[in-house]
Amino acid sequence: MSERDKAQPETTQDSRRSEQPVPEEATTSPAGGGEAPIPADKGGTPDAEGTPKTGGAPEAKAEGKTTARARAAAAARARAAAQGGAKTAKAEAAPEEPSPMQPVLDHIVHVITRELGDGVIEEAYINRLAKHVPTLVVKNERWHETARLLRDHPELAFDYLSVLVGIDHETHLEVYYHFDSYQKGHRLAVRVKADREQATVPSVTDIWPGADWPEREAYDLVGIRFAGHPNLKRILLPDDWVGHPLRKDYQPLDEGV
Amino acid sequence: MAVRTEELLLNVGPQHPSTHGVFRLVVKLDGEIITDAQPVIGYLHRGTEKLAEDLTYTQIIPYTDRMDYLSAMTNNYVLCHAVETMMGIEVPERAEYLRVIVMELNRIASHLLWFGTYLLDLGAMSPFLYAMEEREKILDLFNELCGARITFNYMRVGGVKWDAPDGWIDKVRDFIPYMREQLDGYHKLVTGNEIFLRRLKGVGKYDAQTAIAYGLSGVNLRCTGVRRDVRKDEPYSIYDRFEFDVPVATEGDCYARYLLRMEEIRQSLRILEQAVAQFPKEGAVMAKVPRVIRPPAGETYVRIEAPRGELGCYIHSKGKDKPYRLKFRRPSFHNLQILPKLLIGENMANLVAILGGIDIVLGEVDC
């Protein structure tokens, strides 16, 4: 109780700070918003700076699609990673000012590197599309110890798991977590990648008991195995269901055909 | 001579009035004491997230109505809010006010239905009739606004679909004092009732640490003393313009949850009062948005405070008009997880009180 009361003013202040720049950025720089849809509306011409938004000419589907996707993803990542760095293509727009959440991210990265050494965090950036949430890409093999540190370290104290999303990226699978620290009042998103054929991610049910059903859901619908989960069974679909529907290559099994 | 006893396996549901939907619970009993409880969900799974991959963002909105069908307005909002956050769309004032008004009305309607059915679960018939009457008045308001009572499909990316008809705001204004009076009546009718108190006080108790660890949200979290409300902590829409309190209790039992929900109705009325007073006389209800909505490539996750807790929406976009991956964080799904822990060791007669106290909507649990 008292702990929570102390944390309270900090919480509101912190979240206010993180909220503030969102509309500002949205109005001043078209980078986050309007840019993508407008040129694409005019019929899929690649826009001025050559951002590969659309796959160009309607060519052979499969290959064109995947490379366009990969390139779009790479572009998004590069955009997010280059916080503060001027974007050459968008010279007329003001260079993105550093995110107000940058110090929080730096601190989290610092604590993790100090406690667990290098080679844990593959990538760290501010996700401006998600209200400036600090985001980490954590190595699959090191995820469980990192998760424990995230909850137990007094400077991190991420005690609340808000969401767990399983995603099929076609090249690999991914789990997206969103954590809150009710004590410290900050947020963190974590992405953990897994191989598509042997999709295994360490379970965090022993750290956040609330991860139990979300992990079962991700197993059920996306087919990610959570190593160490006490009861990894299907939860929404029947036990005898074949396949994982949210995989991009899912084919429904119809016994009548 | 000892009485010979044996374990009894009891199946509750999937179709049972007290489960508020299609929810099955397999309970093991030792006499009257529950020794194990296994929830079985998925009966209402419609694959909303899978369907969404083949739908444009506007086409997904009616599907969100059908998740938490007692509070479709908040579901509409969370999707629109996620897309607007990605695209940086600024929503016109008048639309924001309309959104807040309908979301708070919906919160009241949802809590009213909970109040009525919960009392019905506990064996009291008449509060249900009162609550439904008041709820009907809200649904009439919605009906006038958007032509639907439950599944509104009211919001759009960038605003709302229909402006308020003439005189609608006045009707909302008139509803506020009426509802306050009714709420006082509920307290007189129910709150001090001896049977009611005995059924709820100290039942289904847990502490703040457990609540946070299990990912509970909404009233289920606030009843343990954690002052967490997304409307305050991460203000969205125009909630930072209104004065309202976040009611908190420390007991963590069913009775605390009951009192909090009743108090939240009062706080929603406070917000409504201010929103109606500040409501802009005129203005657009839709922002200028591209004809085809294509959020930029990347991902977002936003949350809002729904009647049942933290409602989130995750979108992974590839810059197309359809989401690559859409995921809803449904508060009922997360809240329901704690049920076995609460039931084990409890008397069988408390099962209905504890399950009802969590306030689940199965359409949302199964999605």
Side-chain angles (χ1 to χ4, degrees):
Chain A
M1 252 318 277
S2 58
E3 229 175 12
R4 176 64 196 159
D5 283 345
K6 265 186 274 163
Q8 186 53 33
E10 201 183 278
T11 314
T12 29
Q13 226 187 13
D14 212 48
S15 51
R16 284 270 157 73
R17 258 196 294 133
S18 67
E19 256 0 316
Q20 219 82 45
V22 176
E24 261 170 41
E25 191 211 20
T27 47
T28 54
S29 118
E35 176 204 33
I38 297 159
D41 253 355
K42 290 179 195 156
T45 40
D47 43 7
E49 70 269 35
T51 324
K53 282 285 135 42
T54 47
E59 46 184 37
K61 274 243 162 120
E63 212 185 357
K65 222 193 225 167
T66 43
T67 49
R69 267 193 194 133
R71 276 189 297 160
R77 214 168 300 134
R79 191 186 305 158
Q83 323 106 8
K87 281 183 292 159
T88 46
K90 282 278 156 197
E92 74 280 9
E96 270 182 2
E97 61 227 62
S99 165
M101 298 307 284
Q102 191 64 41
V104 178
L105 175 67
D106 292 342
H107 184 67
I108 294 169
V109 172
H110 173 73
V111 172
I112 293 176
T113 325
R114 191 181 64 205
E115 298 290 329
L116 299 176
D118 291 330
V120 175
I121 301 169
E122 289 178 354
E123 214 181 311
Y125 61 94
I126 300 284
N127 185 353
R128 285 170 188 263
L129 290 179
K131 302 188 175 183
H132 292 245
V133 65
T135 308
L136 301 178
V137 182
V138 176
K139 260 216 175 84
N140 190 320
E141 310 82 66
R142 307 291 301 270
W143 168 227
H144 194 266
E145 50 177 330
T146 315
R148 191 166 286 284
L149 184 80
L150 284 179
R151 191 198 61 179
D152 290 342
H153 197 284
E155 288 172 46
L156 304 175
F158 287 101
D159 45 9
Y160 190 81
L161 171 68
S162 176
V163 80
L164 190 156
V165 191
I167 310 152
D168 179 8
H169 279 297
E170 285 164 291
T171 49
H172 62 277
L173 302 179
E174 185 185 292
V175 185
Y176 178 95
Y177 304 81
H178 186 109
F179 298 106
D180 288 277
S181 171
Y182 282 1
Q183 293 165 36
K184 311 283 285 180
H186 49 223
R187 309 168 291 155
L188 177 72
V190 173
R191 296 164 53 190
V192 179
K193 291 174 186 165
D195 185 64
R196 212 161 178 282
E197 301 311 314
Q198 292 178 330
T200 311
V201 172
S203 168
V204 292
T205 43
D206 52 337
I207 301 167
W208 295 276
D212 183 350
W213 284 18
E215 283 186 355
R216 282 178 64 187
E217 192 190 12
Y219 163 69
D220 191 359
L221 301 180
V222 194
I224 298 168
R225 303 201 141 266
F226 290 90
H229 190 290
N231 183 28
L232 196 66
K233 290 192 305 194
R234 288 191 184 271
I235 184 163
L236 293 176
L237 299 173
D239 287 338
D240 56 355
W241 195 270
V242 177
H244 305 282
L246 283 177
R247 291 256 184 139
K248 293 290 172 182
D249 55 359
Y250 172 72
Q251 293 290 338
L253 175 78
D254 193 338
E255 280 164 2
V257 177
Chain B
M1 197 180 92
V3 182
R4 196 180 70 88
T5 60
E6 60 185 50
E7 195 177 71
L8 175 71
L9 194 69
L10 182 71
N11 183 55
V12 183
Q15 303 193 22
H16 185 273
S18 69
T19 59
H20 299 272
V22 201
F23 170 59
R24 182 169 162 231
L25 195 61
V26 184
V27 183
K28 276 188 193 149
L29 289 173
D30 175 17
E32 294 229 14
I33 304 298
I34 298 171
T35 55
D36 190 25
Q38 288 300 332
V40 182
I41 63 172
Y43 292 94
L44 272 178
H45 181 63
R46 292 146 295 176
T48 307
E49 290 164 7
K50 180 70 181 171
L51 291 167
E53 291 177 2
D54 291 322
L55 299 170
T56 65
Y57 289 94
T58 315
Q59 287 172 336
I60 301 167
I61 296 170
Y63 285 80
T64 64
D65 286 333
R66 285 147 182 86
M67 290 193 315
D68 179 353
Y69 41 75
L70 298 182
S71 177
M73 287 296 185
T74 46
N75 298 356
N76 279 187
Y77 181 76
V78 79
L79 177 67
C80 296
H81 182 49
V83 178
E84 284 157 9
T85 306
M86 287 187 100
M87 297 178 69
I89 294 172
E90 213 161 309
V91 180
E93 284 272 290
R94 196 175 160 95
E96 288 282 27
Y97 275 97
L98 277 170
R99 283 175 169 192
V100 167
I101 290 171
V102 294
M103 281 196 286
E104 292 308 318
L105 279 173
N106 215 168
R107 190 184 313 275
I108 297 171
S110 169
H111 282 350
L112 280 175
L113 188 111
W114 172 82
F115 166 76
T117 53
Y118 192 45
L119 268 291
L120 204 57
D121 287 351
L122 299 175
M125 183 73 202
S126 44
F128 178 74
L129 302 173
Y130 285 105
M132 290 307 267
E133 195 184 334
E134 267 71 87
R135 177 169 176 265
E136 200 57 33
K137 289 199 188 330
I138 297 176
L139 298 188
D140 283 345
L141 285 171
F142 286 148
N143 199 3
E144 200 180 333
L145 185 68
C146 56
R149 298 169 71 253
I150 308 283
T151 49
F152 310 111
N153 191 13
Y154 179 57
M155 296 189 199
R156 293 290 181 277
V157 174
V160 296
K161 178 68 183 165
W162 291 283
D163 200 351
D166 289 341
W168 190 79
I169 291 292
D170 298 325
K171 286 182 190 165
V172 177
R173 190 180 291 121
D174 295 343
F175 174 75
I176 298 166
Y178 167 79
M179 188 62 228
R180 284 212 173 108
E181 208 176 294
Q182 295 298 316
L183 196 58
D184 292 339
Y186 295 169
H187 279 300
K188 281 189 202 133
L189 181 67
V190 173
T191 309
N193 184 298
E194 185 68 28
I195 304 168
F196 180 70
L197 292 177
R198 290 266 191 111
R199 289 294 306 271
L200 297 193
K201 273 202 166 171
V203 172
K205 216 171 149 124
Y206 49 84
D207 60 6
Q209 213 184 349
T210 316
I212 292 174
Y214 274 84
L216 303 190
S217 56
V219 167
N220 292 302
L221 177 62
R222 289 191 286 270
C223 70
T224 60
V226 181
R227 197 177 291 277
R228 164 80 178 176
D229 187 314
V230 188
R231 290 175 294 175
K232 284 272 190 204
D233 296 345
E234 276 182 41
Y236 54 91
S237 189
I238 47 169
Y239 275 106
D240 48 354
R241 297 187 196 172
F242 305 116
E243 258 178 50
F244 64 99
D245 298 325
V246 179
V248 171
T250 50
E251 292 83 4
D253 60 359
C254 285
Y255 185 61
R257 295 195 270 282
Y258 161 78
L259 288 180
L260 286 187
R261 289 202 177 94
M262 300 313 269
E263 184 53 30
E264 283 195 1
I265 295 181
R266 205 177 288 281
Q267 296 302 330
S268 289
L269 289 171
R270 263 179 85 186
I271 298 175
L272 277 177
E273 204 167 38
Q274 297 166 58
V276 167
Q278 297 171 17
F279 191 68
K281 291 251 168 345
E282 50 205 9
V285 293
M286 267 301 279
K288 289 228 180 321
V289 289
R291 196 170 46 82
V292 180
I293 293 162
R294 289 192 181 91
E299 56 194 355
T300 194
Y301 177 61
V302 299
R303 303 78 60 100
I304 67 164
E305 190 71 27
R308 264 152 280 279
E310 191 174 302
L311 173 65
C313 179
Y314 169 92
I315 296 177
H316 189 103
S317 166
K318 298 273 188 199
K320 298 271 170 55
D321 58 343
K322 294 168 184 149
Y324 184 76
R325 173 80 165 97
L326 177 73
K327 157 99 186 165
F328 290 104
R329 187 236 194 242
R330 297 100 58 197
S332 295
F333 180 76
H334 288 255
N335 290 346
L336 189 56
Q337 274 191 90
I338 200 173
L339 184 68
K341 185 178 162 67
L342 296 184
L343 288 181
I344 291 169
E346 278 284 348
N347 200 306
M348 181 61 196
N350 283 341
L351 184 146
V352 171
I354 292 172
L355 177 62
I358 299 176
D359 187 17
I360 51 165
V361 167
L362 269 306
E364 186 178 62
V365 172
D366 297 341
C367 188

